[in-house]
Amino acid sequence: MRKFLLAIFTLSLFTSCVTINQGMVGVKRQRGVIDPEVLYEGRVSINPFNTVVFKIPTQIVNQRVELPLPSKEGLTIQSEISIQYHVKAASAAELLKEVGLGYQNQLILPVFRSTTSDVSARYFAKDMHSGQRANIESEIKTRMNEILEKYGITIDNVLLKSIKLPAGLTRAIEEKLEAEQEAQRMQFVKQQQEADAERRIIEAKGEREVVILEAEAEKKTLELRAEAQANATRMQAEADAKANQLIGQSLSEELLKYRAIEAFTKLASSPNTKLMINPTGIPLWGLPQDFMNISQTTVKKNQ
């Protein structure tokens, strides 16, 4: 039993455990030499007498930097910038070997200061306070990644959080922005007026076309009505002519004589004094005796 406890104690003297937390990797250094094998999350047994484990974060790190920036016109702009970066897990051992644990101060920040100054010197001060801001951030990020990528460091974002321009320049920029906004507003008003004028023109054209269409429709209606009236008149005339033709065809000499006799008979039976003239040449033979007597009496009375 004593031998067993002694063995455990002896083993514990020569071994120890190291825990690698989430979002970190470990790099061992044995007898002053960096082990290229990277240790990932979990517990790792090491010999505490000849081995040291360095823990390197692989999560995104936010580094805030206050930095004076030169502008294209020679002004100095006070700025506050955030750098967001992370270390690639597989490159941790190489980074530790090439740069060491102080890679942020020895590598990232010097590259950042140099790159930021180079980029900002190609822009006017007003550009850092306007829409060019995003272009400046993107260009700084791209140039830093070109340098740091070989060390296993990736720049995720460069953010210009605060830009402090000289007081006079700030006021000039504000006035210019106000003038541009006023110009844009006037342009908008102009566009609205042009659109309104165009709308009125379209409405006037539409009303004119409606009037033209109504006039054409009325004209067409009158033409159709006149045509219909002419057709009706023509058809009535044709019908009358046809009727007269049929009547003329149906009248015979005997029928005409008979109708004349009927007329004289009705006339003779009237109690009023009358003079009958027969211009038709139709003989009155066959008339009733009373008709003849009445005729003679009428003649005598007239004499």
Side-chain angles (χ1 to χ4, degrees):
M1 185 63 181
R2 290 180 179 179
K3 292 182 179 180
F4 178 72
L5 293 175
L6 181 60
I8 293 175
F9 177 74
T10 304
L11 182 62
S12 64
L13 291 176
F14 292 95
T15 59
S16 181
C17 292
V18 176
T19 301
I20 308 299
N21 296 324
Q22 182 181 0
M24 304 189 75
V25 293
V27 178
K28 291 191 297 184
R29 184 177 64 187
Q30 294 178 329
R31 300 182 180 88
V33 179
I34 296 297
D35 189 343
E37 183 181 356
V38 177
L39 305 176
Y40 293 92
E41 301 172 6
R43 296 178 66 85
V44 181
S45 298
I46 62 170
N47 184 347
F49 295 101
N50 61 5
T51 304
V52 178
V53 176
F54 299 102
K55 299 178 183 179
I56 299 177
T58 56
Q59 295 175 329
I60 293 178
V61 177
N62 183 61
Q63 179 65 41
R64 172 177 165 274
V65 181
E66 293 184 356
L67 185 69
L69 299 177
S71 66
K72 189 173 182 178
E73 63 266 56
L75 298 176
T76 299
I77 312 300
Q78 296 298 324
S79 67
E80 179 183 332
I81 306 175
S82 288
I83 314 166
Q84 295 178 343
Y85 68 91
H86 71 275
V87 176
K88 296 180 180 178
S91 303
E94 188 66 23
L95 176 63
L96 190 60
K97 180 181 179 180
E98 295 292 331
V99 183
L101 290 175
Y103 56 85
Q104 178 174 283
N105 294 325
Q106 298 177 14
L107 182 62
I108 297 176
L109 291 180
V111 171
F112 166 72
R113 291 189 177 94
S114 175
T115 302
T116 304
S117 297
D118 290 343
V119 172
S120 65
R122 295 189 291 104
Y123 288 88
F124 292 103
K126 65 181 181 63
D127 296 334
M128 303 178 193
H129 205 269
S130 62
Q132 294 291 338
R133 190 168 183 161
N135 295 335
I136 296 173
E137 293 173 344
S138 178
E139 190 170 345
I140 293 173
K141 171 186 171 182
T142 300
R143 294 185 61 177
M144 288 185 69
N145 277 323
E146 291 175 355
I147 299 172
L148 299 176
E149 189 67 28
K150 63 181 179 180
Y151 296 102
I153 298 174
T154 299
I155 303 298
D156 298 291
N157 289 295
V158 175
L159 306 174
L160 277 69
K161 299 175 62 177
S162 175
I163 299 295
K164 297 180 181 179
L165 302 176
L169 181 59
T170 301
R171 183 55 190 163
I173 292 176
E174 291 175 352
E175 291 176 353
K176 180 180 179 181
L177 291 176
E178 290 176 359
E180 290 177 352
Q181 291 175 357
E182 181 64 18
Q184 291 176 359
R185 190 185 69 81
M186 294 303 297
Q187 181 67 21
F188 175 77
V189 172
K190 180 181 177 182
Q191 291 175 354
Q192 288 292 102
Q193 292 176 347
E194 291 176 351
D196 187 57
E198 185 176 356
R199 178 183 58 80
R200 290 197 296 269
I201 292 173
I202 293 174
E203 289 178 353
K205 288 182 178 179
E207 293 175 357
R208 177 175 174 272
E209 291 178 357
V210 168
V211 172
I212 292 174
L213 290 175
E214 289 178 350
E216 292 179 350
E218 185 176 359
K219 178 182 177 183
K220 189 66 176 179
T221 301
L222 293 176
E223 290 176 352
L224 293 175
R225 187 178 298 170
E227 184 179 355
Q229 185 67 30
N231 290 334
T233 302
R234 179 178 54 78
M235 293 176 66
Q236 184 64 38
E238 291 178 355
D240 292 345
K242 186 67 175 178
N244 292 334
Q245 182 181 1
L246 293 174
I247 292 173
Q249 291 176 356
S250 63
L251 293 177
S252 63
E253 184 176 355
E254 289 75 10
L255 180 60
L256 292 174
K257 290 179 179 181
Y258 177 74
R259 296 298 185 189
I261 292 171
E262 285 184 343
F264 281 119
T265 301
K266 291 181 180 179
L267 184 61
S269 63
S270 174
N272 300 324
T273 302
K274 57 186 76 65
L275 175 64
M276 294 188 295
I277 300 173
N278 182 16
T280 61
I282 300 175
L284 301 178
W285 302 332
L287 291 176
Q289 185 62 37
D290 294 339
F291 174 76
M292 297 300 297
N293 294 334
I294 293 172
S295 299
Q296 294 174 1
T297 302
T298 302
V299 172
K300 290 179 180 181
K301 289 181 178 181
N302 293 335
Q303 292 176 351

